[in-house]
Amino acid sequence: MAVPLRPGQQLTSLAKLRPSMRGFDCEVIVLETAMPTTTSQGLTIHTFLVADQSGSILMNIWGTEGKYIHNGNIIRIEGGEAKLFRGFLQLTPAKFGKFKRVGEETMLYREQPNFSEIKWVTEEESREMAQAEDSKVKL
């Protein structure tokens, strides 16, 4: 049984996420679960491949709550954040965001494109690449 949206609440599709985007709500299904990792400060990070109707992305959950998320769970993130990690986009609940399980195994989704596999570049990097291309053309 799905949990209804709050009045006025809109869900953002993964395809619309951009680096440094914050405060959006989205609903995803968990496709794969990776082994948790621990930072040098002792914090645990749980990583999942999640998807919606527009594609998939890596989602990170910091802390112990991630151990309760399993493949097939449908998760609603309220107050999400899209971050770049080593140039690749990832999804996470923002500091004061939250997530909850709203169902399981009954959601249409697409595995491709995987938005975490797209390399994002800064405007400065983009300008440098354009200049390098221009100089190649002039040769």
Side-chain angles (χ1 to χ4, degrees):
M1 181 171 129
V3 175
L5 297 173
R6 294 186 321 266
Q9 183 180 25
Q10 292 186 325
L11 298 177
T12 302
S13 73
L14 297 179
K16 293 185 179 180
L17 299 184
R18 299 294 177 261
S20 302
M21 220 172 133
R22 289 182 154 181
F24 57 86
D25 300 340
C26 63
E27 200 166 280
V28 296
I29 186 167
V30 178
L31 303 179
E32 295 179 19
T33 305
M35 289 296 295
T37 57
T38 305
T39 67
S40 58
Q41 295 83 20
L43 300 171
T44 303
I45 305 169
H46 296 268
T47 303
F48 307 91
L49 178 65
V50 298
D52 70 3
Q53 307 89 320
S54 65
S56 62
I57 193 168
L58 290 176
M59 176 179 77
N60 291 322
I61 302 293
W62 290 73
T64 58
E65 295 86 6
K67 68 183 176 184
Y68 302 109
I69 298 175
H70 304 288
N71 293 354
N73 287 166
I74 298 171
I75 307 293
R76 183 174 301 153
I77 297 175
E78 297 179 355
E81 185 172 6
K83 294 182 174 184
L84 286 181
F85 179 70
R86 297 184 180 158
F88 297 95
L89 195 62
Q90 296 187 349
L91 170 66
T92 187
K95 186 174 183 178
F96 297 106
K98 56 186 174 183
F99 65 93
K100 61 184 168 185
R101 189 176 79 116
V102 295
E104 60 184 326
E105 298 182 0
T106 54
M107 179 177 172
L108 294 174
Y109 66 89
R110 290 178 59 190
E111 290 186 54
Q112 294 297 325
N114 183 333
F115 301 110
S116 291
E117 293 177 345
I118 299 170
K119 175 76 170 158
W120 289 81
V121 294
T122 64
E123 285 185 40
E124 183 177 318
E125 291 171 324
S126 179
R127 274 190 236 107
E128 289 171 3
M129 290 189 307
Q131 288 173 351
E133 284 295 317
D134 287 345
S135 64
K136 286 181 187 177
V137 171
K138 291 178 184 176
L139 294 178

